Amino acid sequence: MLYVIIGEDRAGSLDQRLASRPAHLERLQALQAEARLILAGPCPAIDSPDPGPAGFSGSIIIAEFASLDAAKAWADADPYIAAGVYEKVTVKPFKKALPA
């Protein structure tokens, strides 16, 4: 089943985000290699694809996991959590409707 993982950045965490980004991306690339990643990306804090020093307000990941517990365990191991980037992480089941 698909799950959405919504990470909300802690204010002032851009330096931690940038430092831990390679490890964060490595985990996402592993999901992609297993054909389990639907989409992933950051949410700019301002209306710009490159927010510069304004940074990001969070991230969204939609991926396939065996269960909600498995999705939560994967999310809990994110390097952004260990680095103090995320203030809050929400994991929910997701049902893709469109595009078909």
Side-chain angles (χ1 to χ4, degrees):
M1 181 163 179
L2 296 179
Y3 295 88
V4 61
I5 300 169
I6 304 165
E8 298 178 39
D9 284 18
R10 181 176 51 82
S13 64
L14 181 58
D15 289 342
Q16 293 92 331
R17 176 184 266 274
L18 295 175
S20 55
R21 186 171 187 263
H24 173 78
L25 290 178
E26 186 176 320
R27 297 178 77 236
L28 290 169
Q29 289 163 347
L31 284 179
Q32 184 175 8
E34 297 169 1
R36 295 172 45 205
L37 181 64
I38 304 304
L39 68 85
C43 301
I46 60 173
D47 190 12
S48 172
D50 182 4
F56 300 90
S57 62
S59 302
I60 296 173
I61 299 165
I62 299 176
E64 184 179 343
F65 293 93
S67 67
L68 180 58
D69 287 341
K72 286 180 178 180
W74 188 91
D76 287 345
D78 195 303
Y80 282 175
I81 290 178
V85 175
Y86 289 153
E87 181 172 64
K88 178 182 176 187
V89 176
T90 304
V91 181
K92 304 181 200 186
F94 179 80
K95 182 177 178 188
K96 181 180 172 191
L98 295 170

